[in-house]
Amino acid sequence: MNKNILLCGVGGQGIVLTSKLIATASMAKNIPVMSAETIGMAQKGGSVFSYLRMGENIYSPMFSQGTADLIIGFEPAEAVRMLPYLKSDGTVILNSHPIMPVTAALSGGSYNGEEMIDYLKANVKDICIFDADKACKKIGSPKVLNMLMLGAAVTRGCLPFTMEEIKTAVINTVNPKFFDLNSAALDEAQGLIK
Amino acid sequence: MHTEFLMGNAAIAMGAVAAGLNLISGYPGTPSTEVLETVAKRRPEDVYVEWSVNEKAALELAAGGAYSGARTMVTMKQVGLNVASDPLMSLAYVGVKGGMVIMVADDPGPISSQTEQDTRHFAAFSKLPCFDPTSVQEAYNMIQDAFAYSEKYGTPVLFRPTTRVCHGYASIFVKDPEEYLKNTPEGFIKDSSKWVIFPRLSYNNHIKIEERNEGLREEFSSYPGNSITGNSHSKKGIATHGISYTYVMDALDKHTDVKILKVATPFPFPERLAVEFLAGLDEVLCIEELDPIIERELTYICGKYGLHVKIRGKLSHDVKPAGENTCGCVAENLHLFLGTEIPKGVTRDEPPALPVRPPVLCAGCPHRASFFAVKEAMKVKKTAFCGDIGCYTLGNAMPLDMVDTCLCMGAGVNITQGIGKIEPDTTCFAFVGDSTFFAAAITGVVNAVYNQADMTLIVLDNSTTAMTGHQPHPGTGRTMMGEIVEKIDIEAVLHGIGVKTVETVDPLDLKSSVDCVKRVSAQKGVKAIIFRSPCAVLIKSAMPVKIDDSKCVQCKKCIRTLGCPGIVLENGKVKIENSLCTGCKLCTQVCPTGAITGGEGNE
């Protein structure tokens, strides 16, 4: 079964690694996989998105608007920005914690995640919202944000993998000294979503 | 053979290694940088790797290696080839012995470049064969073909991927190390009739090159990367290349009632294959990125063979003339051309206004401090601030607003000189980063000194090539082979080329920096200030600074003057964003009430 997935958020949230983990899990099951992400002038604090495609007979690593099965939104406004990519019956997994753009202070502009979340609720039928930053604090590391998002997507049944298969991908991809922490975050996500 | 999930640039690197690569050189530039970095990380022991001082040096080095029978590759971005174009054009006449691939990554968009130039033109201009891969897997396979063709014809060849191939990832089939070719260089064999370019040799070789390329037009018609697929009885055809080919294939999906020409060798163009493609067609839509090269070739072939096929694309305004193609815009072009219905998108409410996240200098970036010091020192003066290529181009953003010009690598020095010659009452500054200084600014400074310019050169020395991901350069004392070498000293270089006043100052010490700028810029002639402070991303942060609420009067001067991402507004009040603040303490020196303190010790 082919799947188009879009991961989006802000530089520094671990989006690229999440995309790699999904790819690793995919390869372990012999599912061909491709991805593409924004790099270059996108730095800390800039919008980051990663397109990921799994399955047979796929040519391009990118896909068109209206064709994503799943958006994993690490930040509310970034999920709204990429929402045109979602299929009409697609799923959104969303971290409710907003990140202020660096220019907001300068322009005196305000940005508040609430408005974005309300919009997403009104326009997406299948949406799962949780405060992943709060969960990070509970676990004690801001670095596990991506594991929480990935764990939520797996728990919700949006990815063709079991939690064990994701953990195997973590073992094979991420520095083993962080495995316990990452594994705890995946379990925490499972508890939060269920 | 096994599968690996590789970035396109890593696939190009590993493909080159599998083809028996002996030497690789280059200059960093998005989207090409990861090719050389991957070779450095995963190279067999006997492969030589270097970041050269610029693209010209890199290409010449790779040529020398290939003269000696080595298989060599040189990597750069498209504008880098402008710098290397002098040796490129001559090398095309002289040729090589070992296989030599010139990997030039193009950047449609442009996403992080000055221009949208198309290296396929450079292929035709220099008369060198050019390969244009469509995917990560094809890039891996094709780079090996590129070496084989190079060696077979004794000519360097161009290999031109674009951003989405370079930076796309895919699970691909790659060779095991036992399957790698091994090339043992024969060494340099003296033969001045071959290696010394003289008019006579150029004339003779020009004839041979034209003959070779005529042969390649035919040979490439059978090259598997060039292909005709789809319905051979269709009246409509699509001609495409590169990443756009994958967009076309995905968009066509089940609508296969069309003939497709995929062009992997834009030069020499596979003419026989193109004639075969055009046979029986009424019209063709060319889906290309950057310039309409396939479109022009097909139009030419129609004229040459008297074929009545309408060729459409950018020149006929059916396809947008500039910018990157997307799956969406290619699908729309195809639907319009084929007369099929454009699938209705998903309708949703109008989204709320989204926050913009433009690239900015990082929290704690020493460039912010350097720009601010010059701005403070020059407050009431008439000034010109000429910038250059690197992170510090972002100094143009508000509130710093300290970059008046930016053109190409190293150009700021002599643009400054030019402005000063016409406007002598303007105090002129050229800002250049340390890597750009070595790559492209030294000769400009020699020119300014020799021709009696009146200007201040500011070297923003953060001891790395930050913009492209922290590559070493001659001033860092490290090489890509892992050696620790003597640093080339910027002060000594400037003194050596006749700059009498050279002062070095830590930009994070605001008062000393402002005083230094006032003192140095008041002198006549060419003088230099080196603002030296390491890239904030590379050093361990100090503790974040703190705001004393009892002292802060909410004047917001820190925000208004510095624009640091580490200082934010929360419910209208100034706050330090602890996750970003590096404790550089620049804001503590700007605060009029002394409300910001701290930034001591390690985090």
Side-chain angles (χ1 to χ4, degrees):
Chain A
M1 187 188 64
N2 288 4
K3 257 194 192 307
N4 290 346
I5 302 166
L6 193 92
L7 300 101
C8 56
V10 172
Q13 288 188 310
I15 287 163
V16 175
L17 178 61
T18 315
S19 169
K20 249 181 216 141
L21 286 169
I22 298 173
T24 306
S26 196
M27 284 179 70
K29 296 186 88 167
N30 287 319
I31 307 170
V33 57
M34 288 187 184
S35 75
E37 50 239 3
T38 48
I39 40 179
M41 276 181 84
Q43 321 163 30
K44 255 188 201 169
S47 301
V48 169
F49 33 92
S50 175
Y51 300 80
L52 198 127
R53 305 187 78 187
M54 289 187 244
E56 304 287 344
N57 300 318
I58 290 169
Y59 288 90
S60 160
M62 328 272 284
F63 45 81
S64 293
Q65 296 198 347
T67 65
D69 299 283
L70 170 67
I71 289 181
I72 306 182
F74 286 57
E75 203 279 341
E78 295 311 311
V80 173
R81 202 187 304 279
M82 300 315 275
L83 194 64
Y85 281 89
L86 193 70
K87 269 184 182 165
S88 57
D89 59 347
T91 306
V92 172
I93 305 282
L94 182 73
N95 173 19
S96 61
H97 184 80
I99 295 181
M100 287 284 282
V102 293
T103 47
L106 196 58
S107 61
S110 67
Y111 158 58
N112 165 346
E114 288 299 320
E115 196 188 0
M116 301 295 158
I117 292 169
D118 289 345
Y119 173 80
L120 288 166
K121 279 182 182 162
N123 285 278
V124 182
K125 280 188 218 100
D126 188 16
I127 184 163
C128 163
I129 307 174
F130 71 112
D131 189 339
D133 277 55
K134 207 160 115 189
C136 281
K137 283 191 185 114
K138 188 177 160 199
I139 295 163
S141 168
K143 298 229 162 86
V144 296
L145 175 68
N146 53 357
M147 295 295 156
L148 287 158
M149 299 307 294
L150 184 56
V154 171
T155 307
R156 190 79 179 204
C158 304
L159 295 171
F161 311 116
T162 62
M163 202 59 98
E164 283 317 304
E165 286 166 340
I166 289 291
K167 285 188 182 173
T168 307
V170 173
I171 291 173
N172 292 330
T173 314
V174 188
N175 186 338
K177 89 177 166 190
F178 300 117
F179 178 73
D180 289 343
L181 190 64
N182 287 327
S183 176
L186 290 167
D187 293 339
E188 176 70 20
Q190 199 161 19
L192 275 173
I193 303 306
K194 270 196 175 153
Chain B
M1 198 74 94
H2 64 281
T3 54
E4 261 191 71
F5 186 63
L6 288 179
M7 183 195 263
N9 277 343
I12 293 166
M14 296 317 291
V17 169
L21 183 76
N22 302 110
L23 176 153
I24 181 169
S25 52
Y27 187 76
T30 311
S32 71
T33 312
E34 299 84 359
V35 176
L36 190 141
E37 288 180 330
T38 303
V39 175
K41 215 178 288 166
R42 300 184 56 176
R43 70 189 164 89
E45 256 177 36
D46 50 356
V47 177
Y48 176 76
V49 186
E50 82 165 40
W51 280 130
S52 305
V53 71
N54 59 29
E55 293 86 352
K56 174 172 147 69
L59 194 143
E60 290 156 352
L61 175 94
Y67 286 0
S68 310
R71 283 199 161 189
T72 70
M73 180 153 80
V74 54
T75 73
M76 63 196 74
K77 67 184 295 178
Q78 89 283 37
V79 288
L81 189 58
N82 301 340
V83 176
S85 62
D86 195 7
L88 174 86
M89 299 305 290
S90 300
L91 185 66
Y93 277 67
V94 169
V96 290
K97 187 162 74 177
M100 174 172 170
V101 177
I102 302 163
M103 203 290 311
V104 184
D106 280 359
D107 178 19
I111 299 172
S112 54
S113 301
Q114 304 95 294
T115 70
E116 273 201 293
Q117 67 190 64
D118 192 324
T119 297
R120 295 178 297 167
H121 281 304
F122 248 122
F125 183 39
S126 62
K127 306 178 190 295
L128 293 177
C130 179
F131 293 83
D132 182 7
T134 62
S135 68
V136 176
Q137 179 77 65
E138 195 176 52
Y140 179 80
N141 300 342
M142 202 179 268
I143 190 84
Q144 300 175 60
D145 299 338
F147 275 103
Y149 273 101
S150 169
E151 219 156 83
K152 179 176 172 188
Y153 289 100
T155 179
V157 303
L158 286 158
F159 186 84
R160 186 219 63 148
T162 57
T163 305
R164 298 297 175 186
V165 172
C166 290
H167 285 169
Y169 282 80
S171 51
I172 64 161
F173 295 101
V174 296
K175 287 180 176 169
D176 297 322
E178 309 82 73
E179 298 170 85
Y180 292 176
L181 284 181
K182 182 134 184 71
N183 179 53
T184 309
E186 186 188 15
F188 180 68
I189 295 166
K190 290 188 186 199
D191 180 356
S192 68
S193 71
K194 182 165 173 50
W195 304 123
V196 181
I197 195 163
F198 267 119
R200 184 78 203 155
L201 173 114
S202 299
Y203 171 73
N204 288 335
N205 283 2
H206 189 178
I207 295 168
K208 287 183 196 154
I209 287 165
E210 297 300 342
E211 282 169 6
R212 176 198 75 205
N213 285 348
E214 216 169 285
L216 277 172
R217 278 170 90 83
E218 170 56 30
E219 188 172 348
F220 279 164
S221 291
S222 307
Y223 176 63
N226 295 318
S227 65
I228 300 172
T229 52
N231 182 356
S232 57
H233 303 295
S234 176
K235 294 278 164 208
K236 292 194 176 197
I238 309 287
T240 184
H241 72 120
I243 196 73
S244 297
Y245 167 76
T246 70
Y247 301 159
V248 166
M249 295 308 281
D250 278 336
L252 289 173
D253 194 20
K254 288 160 203 92
H255 315 278
T256 46
D257 193 30
V258 62
K259 197 159 39 160
I260 303 149
L261 175 68
K262 169 174 169 279
V263 179
T265 58
F267 188 86
F269 199 78
E271 188 166 310
R272 174 173 49 81
L273 190 75
V275 171
E276 196 185 310
F277 166 72
L278 292 166
L281 292 178
D282 289 338
E283 54 181 349
V284 171
L285 183 69
C286 300
I287 304 276
E288 294 183 75
E289 256 175 347
L290 303 175
D291 291 334
I293 285 171
I294 297 172
E295 191 180 347
R296 283 210 172 89
E297 281 285 356
L298 293 181
T299 307
Y300 157 79
I301 289 168
C302 284
K304 181 173 171 183
Y305 291 83
L307 304 173
H308 294 282
V309 186
K310 189 167 170 51
I311 307 297
R312 294 164 60 176
K314 288 173 187 263
L315 297 170
S316 61
H317 308 296
D318 287 293
V319 175
K320 61 177 180 157
E324 193 187 15
N325 284 343
T326 62
C327 304
C329 78
V330 166
E332 202 181 307
N333 288 331
L334 290 177
H335 285 299
L336 284 171
F337 176 68
L338 299 172
T340 48
E341 204 174 324
I342 298 173
K344 278 212 181 74
V346 187
T347 44
R348 296 191 176 97
D349 303 337
E350 191 62 30
L354 289 164
V356 285
R357 304 185 194 272
V360 289
L361 293 173
C362 299
C365 175
H367 298 333
R368 175 178 293 104
S370 306
F371 283 126
F372 185 67
V374 177
K375 191 174 184 172
E376 278 293 285
M378 290 295 114
K379 254 179 195 163
V380 292
K381 289 222 166 127
K382 185 180 171 195
T383 51
F385 302 123
C386 297
D388 226 295
I389 307 285
C391 287
Y392 49 100
T393 315
L394 297 173
N396 77 321
M398 296 304 277
L400 291 172
D401 188 20
M402 282 295 289
V403 177
D404 296 329
T405 72
C406 177
L407 189 67
C408 67
M409 288 285 286
V413 177
N414 302 114
I415 289 176
T416 307
Q417 187 192 351
I419 291 173
K421 289 285 173 207
I422 301 303
E423 262 190 83
D425 60 334
T426 301
T427 309
C428 294
F429 289 84
F431 293 84
V432 64
D434 45 343
S435 186
T436 306
F437 174 79
F438 287 111
I442 297 173
T443 47
V445 180
V446 173
N447 188 70
V449 171
Y450 164 55
N451 288 299
Q452 305 296 298
D454 186 16
M455 60 176 281
T456 305
L457 174 74
I458 305 274
V459 182
L460 301 167
D461 181 6
N462 60 1
S463 302
T464 188
T465 317
M467 189 73 170
T468 46
H470 302 105
Q471 290 74 25
H473 63 65
T476 62
R478 287 179 295 120
T479 72
M480 281 310 267
M481 295 299 280
E483 304 144 317
I484 302 296
V485 296
E486 196 170 327
K487 293 179 187 180
I488 297 180
D489 182 29
I490 299 174
E491 285 94 329
V493 170
L494 289 170
H495 282 307
I497 59 182
V499 182
K500 298 225 163 43
T501 300
V502 182
E503 290 202 21
T504 301
V505 62
D506 176 3
L508 296 173
D509 178 348
L510 184 60
K511 188 173 180 307
S512 304
S513 297
V514 172
D515 291 347
C516 176
V517 174
K518 285 182 179 162
R519 185 171 63 243
V520 171
S521 66
Q523 297 177 26
K524 284 273 162 237
V526 178
K527 53 272 172 189
I529 298 170
I530 299 166
F531 281 117
R532 183 167 290 144
S533 181
C535 174
V537 175
L538 292 185
I539 52 163
K540 204 169 160 53
S541 294
M543 290 295 282
V545 295
K546 291 191 193 75
I547 297 180
D548 181 343
D549 284 333
S550 65
K551 286 189 190 161
C552 176
V553 294
Q554 301 297 333
C555 70
K556 304 189 178 68
K557 186 182 176 194
C558 50
I559 290 175
R560 279 186 293 107
T561 55
L562 300 178
C564 174
I567 314 176
V568 297
L569 275 181
E570 196 175 72
N571 304 320
K573 287 175 82 175
V574 182
K575 188 196 143 201
I576 300 301
E577 177 58 56
N578 286 342
S579 66
L580 294 176
C581 178
T582 65
C584 80
K585 297 196 282 190
L586 179 64
C587 55
T588 66
Q589 301 163 72
V590 170
C591 179
T593 65
I596 314 178
T597 56
E600 307 293 340
N602 278 341
E603 196 176 29

